[in-house]
Amino acid sequence: EVQLVESGGDLVQPGGSLRLSCAASGFSFSSYAMSWVRQTPGKGLEWVSTISASGGSTYYADSVKGRFTISRDNSKNTLYLQMNSLRAEDTAIYYCAKGSGSHMRIFDDWGQGTLVTVSS
Amino acid sequence: DIVMTQSPDSLAVSLGERATITCKSSQSVLYSSNNKNYLTWYQQKPGQPPKLLIYWASTRESGVPDRFSGSGSGTDFTLTISSLQAEDVAVYYCQQYYTTPPTFGQGTKVEIK
């Protein structure tokens, strides 16, 4: 059974930094692209970033480009999202999502999410 | 970015009746070289993450009941629940993965009448 467990969400001040982690189990982590998707009541679901299976390719939403960095450690079966220069509009539940074998952006498994709140 | 627009925003359907949700994309998500529509549907129940129901517009994910079906092509798509069950109360989202960034519809809330 696929399990994705996010951690690292917290209350942080504007301009601050946070690193999210997603521990994966139940599948061959190094064989699949992984993504972060966030959700807010106002903006709904928003794709944040994707990393290829090997980690060699990364993709970002314009809203986070230059501030967020996605990475993975295939030896630890863990996905990361380093979030810098945080803004109030980054407040959301952040989900890690596994890409399917058919296409990297068909999200066939999701974690339970971790809440990031950016506020002074 | 491709804008995904769902309708209605919410609907109430009697148990056992059909529920139909539409999703319209601002440009075609049909890739002509493989004749595939790059469109998924997700179900999200309260307090839970989204769950993949349908991909390639009409392929049901393993384990998804066959009362869920997807159809459409190009820019117009439909998710149909043929006989609504109590456990289908949820918000449903479409998503395109034809281009980067992948984008989601605003969601349709399905309730029991």
Side-chain angles (χ1 to χ4, degrees):
Chain A
E1 180 195 2
V2 171
Q3 279 207 308
L4 300 168
V5 180
E6 302 94 337
S7 60
D10 205 348
L11 170 64
V12 60
Q13 291 191 337
S17 297
L18 213 53
R19 188 175 86 152
L20 306 183
S21 300
C22 172
S25 61
F27 67 103
S28 179
F29 181 73
S30 61
S31 297
Y32 294 92
M34 296 294 295
S35 296
W36 289 97
V37 178
R38 65 188 181 185
Q39 185 170 32
T40 63
K43 290 190 70 178
L45 289 164
E46 180 186 17
W47 170 79
V48 173
S49 183
T50 296
I51 187 167
S52 64
S54 67
S57 298
T58 57
Y59 312 85
Y60 297 95
D62 285 347
S63 59
V64 307
K65 201 171 294 181
R67 300 188 299 122
F68 290 10
T69 302
I70 192 171
S71 62
R72 65 191 296 161
D73 186 336
N74 285 345
S75 69
K76 295 183 178 178
N77 290 350
T78 304
L79 174 72
Y80 303 100
L81 185 68
Q82 178 66 44
M83 311 166 68
N84 297 332
S85 303
L86 282 161
R87 306 167 180 166
E89 55 265 35
D90 295 319
T91 295
I93 297 171
Y94 284 74
Y95 296 104
C96 72
K98 171 182 164 290
S100 82
S102 300
H103 192 282
M104 64 165 51
R105 293 197 191 98
I106 297 172
F107 306 125
D108 62 358
D109 285 285
W110 299 61
Q112 288 297 313
T114 188
L115 177 62
V116 172
T117 304
V118 183
S119 175
S120 54
Chain B
D1 297 1
I2 295 178
V3 177
M4 309 299 291
T5 304
Q6 293 180 226
S7 61
D9 289 335
S10 65
L11 75 161
V13 176
S14 300
L15 288 172
E17 295 301 304
R18 178 183 302 259
T20 302
I21 301 167
T22 64
C23 174
K24 192 174 190 69
S25 56
S26 61
Q27 65 185 75
S28 176
V29 299
L30 173 63
Y31 193 34
S32 56
S33 67
N34 60 10
N35 201 37
K36 286 187 172 183
N37 288 282
Y38 284 53
L39 189 285
T40 62
W41 289 97
Y42 298 91
Q43 174 194 65
Q44 187 176 31
K45 297 181 179 180
Q48 295 185 19
K51 172 189 172 184
L52 178 65
L53 295 178
I54 303 278
Y55 57 97
W56 301 126
S58 61
T59 302
R60 204 178 299 115
E61 172 73 336
S62 175
V64 172
D66 59 8
R67 63 180 180 274
F68 291 93
S69 63
S71 63
S73 186
T75 62
D76 294 281
F77 300 90
T78 301
L79 175 69
T80 301
I81 309 172
S82 60
S83 175
L84 191 75
Q85 305 299 302
E87 60 265 33
D88 302 334
V89 168
V91 179
Y92 293 85
Y93 296 92
C94 61
Q95 175 225 330
Q96 65 80 20
Y97 48 102
Y98 183 82
T99 61
T100 300
T103 48
F104 295 83
Q106 81 277 16
T108 295
K109 187 174 185 179
V110 174
E111 299 172 306
I112 304 295
K113 185 187 292 183

